[in-house]
Amino acid sequence: MSEAAKVGIIMGSQSDWPTMTHAAEILEKLGVPHEVKIVSAHRTPDRLVEYAKTAKERGLHVIIGGAGGAAHLPGMAASMTPLPVFGVPIQSKALSGQDSLLSIVQMPGGVPVGTLAIGKAGAINAGLLAASVIALHDENVAKALDDFRAAQTDAVAEEPVD
């Protein structure tokens, strides 16, 4: 998007993109300017520190962090920024994402990370939550979010069909 990013989407590796693309897609649909970066807590820690510590001054309002396995990325980002951070557990091969979920959700008191569902649903909902934060001060995003929710409601049939 050409407008300055308001939401940052970060992930630990390229292999997380098939999940995290869903957060980007929903933000795009709602007209929320965002950026997407690979920022590994384990392999690029200096990149993570720089990203998290400069996020607010660069104009971001929210960070969505997707991570699998040990899943330190969202928590580490949250420890270095005052911005809200939403964590998306990536479905792992070993434990189907349960390891990722527990790693993200078990933050110590004082360093919050809003933790979403494992995988695609979590990425979509992280995008919607981020848009909800942006909508507090952006009428265009608020309208897009209202329209999105109305369309979801309208898509639900009253009675099942065969």
Side-chain angles (χ1 to χ4, degrees), residues 9-10 14 34 36 38 40 49 64 81 86 91 93 101 107 118 120 128-129 134 147 157:
I9 300 173
I10 57 175
Q14 178 65 42
H34 59 282
V36 179
I38 296 174
S40 172
V49 170
I64 299 171
T81 184
F86 300 130
Q91 189 165 359
K93 291 178 183 160
L101 173 66
M107 288 299 294
I118 297 167
K120 178 181 177 180
L128 289 169
L129 274 174
I134 302 306
D147 291 347

Side-chain angles (χ1 to χ4, degrees), residues 16-33:
D16 298 338
W17 181 236
T19 298
M20 299 308 293
T21 190
H22 300 289
E25 288 170 359
I26 198 74
L27 291 171
E28 189 75 31
K29 182 174 187 172
L30 297 171
V32 178

Side-chain angles (χ1 to χ4, degrees), residues 14 20 46 51 66-67 78 87 112 123 130 141 147-148 162:
Q14 178 65 42
M20 299 308 293
D46 292 337
Y51 188 89
V141 175
D147 291 347
F148 174 85
D162 289 325

Side-chain angles (χ1 to χ4, degrees), residues 109-156:
V111 185
V113 173
T115 308
L116 285 299
I118 297 167
K120 178 181 177 180
I124 291 169
N125 285 339
L128 289 169
L129 274 174
S132 295
V133 171
I134 302 306
L136 293 171
H137 301 285
D138 185 322
E139 288 299 319
N140 292 330
V141 175
K143 173 143 181 23
L145 199 52
D146 288 345
D147 291 347
F148 174 85
R149 290 182 176 166
Q152 276 195 138
T153 299
D154 292 345
V156 178

Side-chain angles (χ1 to χ4, degrees), residues 61-114:
H61 295 249
V62 180
I63 295 173
I64 299 171
H72 291 116
L73 181 62
M76 290 298 298
S79 75
M80 293 182 272
T81 184
L83 300 178
V85 176
F86 300 130
V88 177
I90 303 295
Q91 189 165 359
S92 59
K93 291 178 183 160
L95 299 171
S96 296
Q98 292 181 36
D99 50 345
S100 311
L101 173 66
L102 293 174
S103 293
I104 296 171
V105 80
Q106 285 299 112
M107 288 299 294
V111 185
V113 173

